[in-house]
Amino acid sequence: MRQKNEKLKVYEFLYNRLPFSDNETEEYEAMQRMDLLEEHFDLYLRKINTKNMELHWHCEVVVGTEHEMINVLIATEYCYYLFVLHDYSGEHYINPFNILINKQYEAVYDLNRTAKIYDKFKESLIDEGSFQRPIIIKHVVMNETFKLAKRPSDQFLTLKNLPFYLKAIEHSAVIRKKHLRPDLRT
């Protein structure tokens, strides 16, 4: 079950009680937008059985000098799934430098950061023994108008393919119990 980000709770408590700087107001508004995206994503999660999964919300990692938010981390017996939520609208494309560009030719998101997030999580998510579960990072665009032009990317999930992807995670998370053979010595 998703819980609201603790920092957002503090901001909501203090908002009309203390004067906020421009940066604090901007951060507060961004956190409110992110909370709505997470709430929307949670509606999709409720449609699947998460009994065999561990769900972690609001994983923040520092990559270089930047803070990156992993909105949802789903850990199954076989894999780690990291979801970064976005609210991009309209047509976008990925340029040759792996940067997401909008229709006005403005840089929106540097997809090279995904590799850095992956490395950061690989350092910290060490499984016992020699087996390391795979780490899969997906950027989920929670806006129906988003469209990738020219070059499609498997890094992105849209509202059209998100239910299928989550259903696939649900099926892969099923733990197969070993059936013990009856003792034949009797």
Side-chain angles (χ1 to χ4, degrees):
M1 181 61 93
R2 182 184 83 85
Q3 294 193 6
K4 194 175 273 196
N5 188 324
E6 293 296 322
K7 194 172 183 180
L8 178 58
K9 288 180 188 178
V10 171
Y11 271 131
E12 288 175 338
F13 178 77
L14 296 175
Y15 185 65
N16 288 321
R17 292 173 174 86
L18 292 174
F20 276 25
S21 69
D22 290 341
N23 287 343
E24 290 169 331
T25 303
E26 187 178 312
E27 183 178 17
Y28 173 54
E29 290 170 353
M31 291 180 85
Q32 286 179 314
R33 286 190 305 272
M34 196 55 66
D35 188 59
L36 289 173
L37 292 177
E38 290 176 357
E39 196 173 296
H40 192 187
F41 187 85
D42 192 38
L43 293 174
Y44 286 90
L45 278 178
R46 290 180 189 181
K47 294 178 183 178
I48 65 169
N49 180 0
T50 58
K51 188 175 80 173
N52 295 323
M53 303 174 198
E54 290 180 44
L55 298 171
H56 302 278
W57 292 86
H58 323 297
C59 304
E60 191 172 349
V61 294
V62 178
V63 178
T65 59
E66 299 283 327
H67 289 264
E68 286 289 336
M69 175 66 85
I70 305 301
N71 300 93
V72 185
L73 167 70
I74 298 177
T76 68
E77 190 74 20
Y78 307 105
C79 195
Y80 293 111
Y81 300 92
L82 287 72
F83 296 97
V84 179
L85 305 181
H86 304 283
D87 190 28
Y88 303 137
S89 61
E91 191 172 77
H92 288 71
Y93 72 96
I94 300 170
N95 73 9
F97 303 106
N98 209 24
I99 296 175
L100 186 67
I101 306 292
N102 65 15
K103 207 171 187 178
Q104 291 77 31
Y105 303 104
E106 299 167 332
V108 176
Y109 189 82
D110 183 359
L111 292 167
N112 297 308
R113 298 186 64 73
T114 304
K116 294 176 183 175
I117 294 170
Y118 174 86
D119 291 338
K120 189 71 168 181
F121 268 89
K122 188 165 179 146
E123 289 173 13
S124 59
L125 293 176
I126 304 299
D127 293 318
E128 292 181 25
S130 60
F131 175 71
Q132 169 67 48
R133 285 180 268 185
I135 301 167
I136 298 172
I137 303 174
K138 293 291 183 182
H139 294 275
V140 183
V141 182
M142 306 297 292
N143 190 319
E144 292 176 352
T145 64
F146 176 77
K147 180 183 172 189
L148 264 180
K150 296 184 183 180
R151 183 176 96 168
S153 174
D154 62 349
Q155 292 182 44
F156 283 92
L157 292 174
T158 62
L159 293 178
K160 291 179 184 175
N161 56 11
L162 179 61
F164 303 108
Y165 194 82
L166 292 175
K167 201 69 167 162
I169 293 173
E170 174 191 17
H171 288 298
S172 70
V174 174
I175 299 172
R176 293 177 181 85
K177 295 181 180 177
K178 294 182 181 176
H179 297 286
L180 299 175
R181 293 179 61 185
D183 190 9
L184 301 174
R185 287 183 268 163
T186 59

